[in-house]
Structures are given as C-alpha cells and as structure tokens.
Amino acid sequence: MTIAEVRQSAGLPEVMPAYLKALSYAKNDPELLVRLAHQFERTGEFEKALELVSQVDADSDHIHRARLVESRVLKRDKQMPQAKEILEKLVKELPEQEELRLEAVGDLALIHDREGDFDEAFRMMTSIKQVHLSRCASQKAASDFATQRFAVLADSLTDRDFTRWADELEDRAYEPTPALLTGFPRSGTTLMEQVLDAHPQIVSTEEKDLMAREILPSIHGKLSAEHSLLEVLDQISHATVEKKRKFVWSAFETLSGQSLGGMTHVDKNPAYNLLIPLYLRLFPETKLLIALRDPRDVLLSCYLRYLPLNPVSVTFLTLESTAHRYALDMTAWLKFSEMISNPWVEVRYEDMVGNMEVEARKICQTLGLEWHDDILRYREKLQHKQVTSPTYADVKKPIYKRSLNRWKNYEKHLEPQFETLAPFLEAYGYD
C-alpha cells in the first residue's frame, strides 16, 4: 500500500487494518501519523493513539496538532490535569487567530465548564466566536440565502402540497424504508441514532448532507434563484423523482457499505427540519423522528462548543442568532406536524436519558419494527465504531444526566433569549 492510498483511505474506520499495515510508511510522514492517531482517539484506542503522537518530532509542523490529539486522549482517559496543561501550553504558543488554537481554546473551555468555572468557560468560548465573527462573511451570506428560501417555503406550504406529493407514491416494497432523524443540533440526535443503529433491521447514516448538497442543486435545474423552492419542488417530473431516489439509495448503500434492501434506513441530520418538505417530495413515505430537548440547554450547547466555520455553524456564533434559528426550525416543524399524515414521533432527550428502553420502543413502533434487545446493547457496537458527530466522545459513555438543566449554570448569559424560546418551552412542556 502506498502513502497515497493510505491518505485516500484515511477517515474510514472500516479500513483501520490498512492503517496498521501502513505504519512503516507513516513513520516518515508526521501528518499521516497525526491523522491515524486522531482516528484511534475517536474509536477509543488510546494506547495506539498515544504511541503514534509520540513518534511526531518536536520540530515538525504537525507537532501542535499531535499535542491536541494527545490532550483529547488524556481527557477521555480521565487524566484531566495533564490534558489541561497541554491545552494551556498550546493556547500560549499558537497565534491568536490560528484555527488550531481556537480548537484548543474550545477544549479548554469545556474543561473549565466541567470544573464548575462557568464564567471562564463562557468567556473562552465567546473569544472563539469573536474571531469567527470577524471572518464569516461568505459563510453567513450562504447561510442567510438558504435559510430565507427555506423559511419562505415553510410559510407557503399547505397540507394539499404534502397530499399531492404523497398521491404520486408507487408501491416501494422492493426499496428500503426511509426515515429522517432531525430536530435541531445538540438535541440528542447522536445518542438516538447510535441506539437505533444497534437494531438489526436499521442502518443509519450520519450527517452526510446528501439532500442539501447533492439533490436540491440538481433538481433546481434551469430555474433561477428567483423561483421559489415550492415552484422547484412542484416542477419535478416523475422521471426525475425516480432518478433521484435511485441515486440516493445507491449513495446511502455506498456510504453504509451494505445493501439496504428490506432495511429501514435512518438518515440522521439534526439541522434538517427545514428540509422536511424536500424529503417528502422525493420520499413521501418517509417516517419522521424528531429529537427534542429543553430549548435553553440546546441554546447553550450549540454556543458552548468549538465548531469549524461553515454555513451551519455560523448560525451559532451568537446566542441571539442561535435562538432565532431554533425558533425558525421548530416553528416549521410545529406547522409540518399538523399538515402531514406520515408516521412521526417526538422524543425528548430528557426522557431518553431517563428511560432509554421506553423511548426506543416508542421509536420502533413508529418505524413499524419489532423490538430487539440488541438496542439495549448499543454501546457494544460503538466500541470500535467511528462517530462523526462533534459529540463522538460523549455518545460512547454510559448514559449520564450531567447535561440535564445545564443551562442554569449560564442563566445570566442566556436570559436575554428566553423570550424567543418561550413559545417552545410551553409547546414542549419545559416551562
């Protein structure tokens, strides 16, 4: 195996044995050493990760990334003082606006949060947001454009639109059963997805953004941006629907590495509330799983985390913009839920943590699946599985209640946004 082949395969946990075979190449490639160490850290193989970062020369351009990986291993291995020491050193050594430094500040802020130093955690996370705010113009423009178009779509849809699309549905017994797991980022979708993925009749795909990045641009065709999304969805021909469905299933089979025939496929995308109409246009039979969590905890959790700057994360650079985006997405769901006839279920994160089996059984019933005890053993499957969500480390831990009512530690910072969140606190019983 060549270094080029190893680089191409990096990021896919199922080829981890290939990584091991290629370590003789990696010894002379510090970038590859760090990338492999990062993979082992994500899959919980800490000794292998530490062995690899120890091989990165101190004068290498990649030594700081190696140290960041080392700090994450130590943190997950409950060696918090050592992890904190490494992070503090990185923050001092790296240029103020370098992205790697911002990652280190984000990790350090979460350690302060764990230690109960909430003001310092909030101050450090805000410093990251300020840097991103100074250079987010292109991402914000893209986010504002897309969000506005989907907001108009949500306002203009009626139940007749959903009914008309559903009437076009043919017998799909030979295809997988589609399910969309959404709600809002940081509402517990990662936990729910990993629990469901343990069911032998379920295959999940995690945050691949296929609909937004591939399908929507392709069906837009020659229509200009002046045409509404409702017009775009209405003009799709039957042949186009068939073509796009085949493409989607082929892509999901490639991503999952297995045939999906006879299976239920769960597409987990927590920021897809506004894309539900697109889903139901191509897959009118989609079953919907909506993750809920106390909106105040959602607000805090979206803000109190480093995320690379992109058209989704740009929304979370201020508490105000986060609260307004939450209100937009959840208002859309409240409207859609009254207009569609598809099976759907709302699952509160707090209930999932309190009694996972009860909630999982409720989801299985919505999906039309028999209960299977493998769901209760979902963590066994997670041991050597790579989770792509930013919360990959948390989801592999036993279920804990530390994240419940976390917002109370930051109430003075969050309070100005409570009026925006009030309708949803009432609607979902959190008031």
Side-chain angles (χ1 to χ4, degrees):
M1 172 175 274
T2 67
I3 288 184
E5 289 171 330
V6 175
R7 285 186 183 281
Q8 186 176 13
S9 67
L12 300 176
E14 56 267 28
V15 297
M16 191 68 80
Y19 293 167
L20 298 175
K21 294 177 183 178
L23 286 180
S24 59
Y25 296 102
K27 290 178 181 178
N28 298 316
D29 188 337
E31 181 184 2
L32 184 55
L33 282 171
V34 174
R35 291 180 68 182
L36 298 181
H38 179 57
Q39 297 299 330
F40 282 125
E41 182 267 323
R42 293 184 73 98
T43 56
E45 298 175 85
F46 299 150
E47 290 185 7
K48 294 176 182 177
L50 291 176
E51 179 183 354
L52 290 174
V53 296
S54 71
Q55 298 176 37
V56 179
D57 292 336
D59 58 353
S60 166
D61 291 340
H62 302 282
I63 187 61
H64 290 123
R65 174 64 67 180
R67 294 289 281 164
L68 183 64
V69 173
E70 180 183 6
S71 73
R72 289 173 176 172
V73 170
L74 294 172
K75 179 182 176 183
R76 293 184 64 188
D77 199 33
K78 296 182 173 57
Q79 300 183 55
M80 203 69 73
Q82 296 92 324
K84 187 176 182 181
E85 182 180 354
I86 292 173
L87 290 170
E88 289 174 338
K89 187 175 181 181
L90 284 175
V91 170
K92 289 180 181 178
E93 292 178 351
L94 291 169
E96 185 173 339
Q97 297 210 353
E98 185 170 323
E99 202 66 27
L100 185 62
R101 181 183 183 274
L102 300 183
E103 285 191 63
V105 172
D107 286 4
L108 191 56
L110 293 179
I111 290 179
H112 281 283
D113 173 77
R114 180 68 62 86
E115 293 175 340
D117 191 354
F118 305 120
D119 285 343
E120 180 62 9
F122 191 85
R123 184 199 68 77
M124 297 185 77
M125 200 61 71
T126 299
S127 73
I128 298 174
K129 311 296 185 181
Q130 303 257 344
V131 174
H132 277 169
L133 281 168
S134 70
R135 57 191 188 203
C136 71
S138 62
Q139 293 88 350
K140 187 176 187 305
S143 175
D144 289 348
F145 175 77
T147 301
Q148 175 62 23
R149 283 176 62 75
F150 278 106
V152 171
L153 173 63
D155 285 341
S156 59
L157 280 166
T158 69
D159 54 358
R160 293 188 299 276
D161 297 306
F162 290 111
T163 301
R164 183 171 68 256
W165 300 339
D167 287 343
E168 297 179 12
L169 181 64
E170 300 175 354
D171 180 20
R172 304 286 179 176
Y174 58 93
E175 289 188 353
T177 300
L180 174 62
L181 170 54
T182 188
F184 199 79
R186 310 298 294 140
S187 293
T189 53
T190 300
L191 172 62
M192 196 185 306
E193 184 231 348
Q194 299 307 324
V195 169
L196 294 177
D197 194 51
H199 193 293
Q201 289 300 115
I202 293 176
V203 176
S204 65
T205 305
E206 187 183 12
E207 300 185 42
K208 298 305 181 184
D209 211 13
L210 190 62
M211 285 292 184
R213 294 189 179 185
E214 300 290 339
I215 300 302
L216 185 58
S218 68
I219 66 175
H220 216 292
K222 298 180 180 179
L223 294 178
S224 71
E226 295 178 357
H227 288 81
S228 71
L229 284 180
L230 183 55
E231 291 175 310
V232 172
L233 295 181
D234 274 339
Q235 63 86 40
I236 304 174
S237 66
H238 179 74
T240 298
V241 169
E242 292 300 306
K243 181 180 178 181
K244 298 309 176 185
R245 286 178 67 105
K246 289 179 180 178
F247 172 83
V248 169
W249 287 132
S250 176
F252 282 143
E253 287 190 337
T254 299
L255 289 168
S256 64
Q258 67 181 87
S259 172
L260 298 179
M263 304 291 282
T264 292
H265 176 262
V266 174
D267 184 7
K268 175 240 183 179
N269 272 287
Y272 262 31
N273 262 20
L274 294 177
L275 270 74
I276 287 175
L278 172 60
Y279 243 94
L280 298 187
R281 178 65 182 96
L282 296 183
F283 297 92
E285 73 274 38
T286 298
K287 300 177 181 182
L288 298 170
L289 313 176
I290 308 299
L292 301 177
R293 186 183 180 188
D294 188 316
R296 295 161 294 195
D297 277 327
V298 172
L299 175 64
L300 173 66
S301 193
C302 286
Y303 187 80
L304 204 68
R305 182 168 292 275
Y306 164 86
L307 293 169
L309 194 56
N310 58 50
V312 175
S313 67
V314 71
T315 301
F316 308 139
L317 295 185
T318 70
L319 289 170
E320 182 179 17
S321 62
T322 304
H324 281 290
R325 178 56 192 267
Y326 179 88
L328 175 63
D329 283 37
M330 300 313 291
T331 296
W333 165 243
L334 286 172
K335 179 180 180 180
F336 298 155
S337 67
E338 295 181 351
M339 297 163 55
I340 62 175
S341 58
N342 304 61
W344 59 265
V345 63
E346 296 172 342
V347 180
R348 290 163 47 118
Y349 174 73
E350 295 81 1
D351 295 336
M352 194 75 173
V353 170
N355 194 327
M356 188 264 287
E357 181 177 346
V358 169
E359 298 307 303
R361 285 183 179 275
K362 186 164 62 175
I363 298 171
C364 285
Q365 184 177 11
T366 301
L367 295 177
L369 296 174
E370 295 291 331
W371 172 258
H372 200 288
D373 285 341
D374 279 1
I375 285 181
L376 301 179
R377 297 185 289 271
Y378 77 98
R379 293 186 63 246
E380 295 177 10
K381 186 174 181 179
L382 271 174
Q383 292 310 306
H384 299 289
K385 177 182 177 182
Q386 180 173 315
V387 180
T388 60
S389 167
T391 56
Y392 67 92
D394 293 334
V395 77
K396 293 190 175 185
K397 300 175 183 177
I399 288 180
Y400 57 89
K401 299 183 179 181
R402 188 177 61 250
S403 59
L404 303 183
N405 293 316
R406 189 180 174 204
W407 65 270
K408 293 182 178 180
N409 299 320
Y410 296 87
E411 185 169 5
K412 65 182 180 183
H413 301 291
L414 305 179
E415 194 274 335
Q417 310 309 322
F418 286 174
E419 183 176 353
T420 301
L421 300 179
F424 311 99
L425 292 169
E426 180 179 359
Y428 298 121
Y430 288 105
D431 58 346

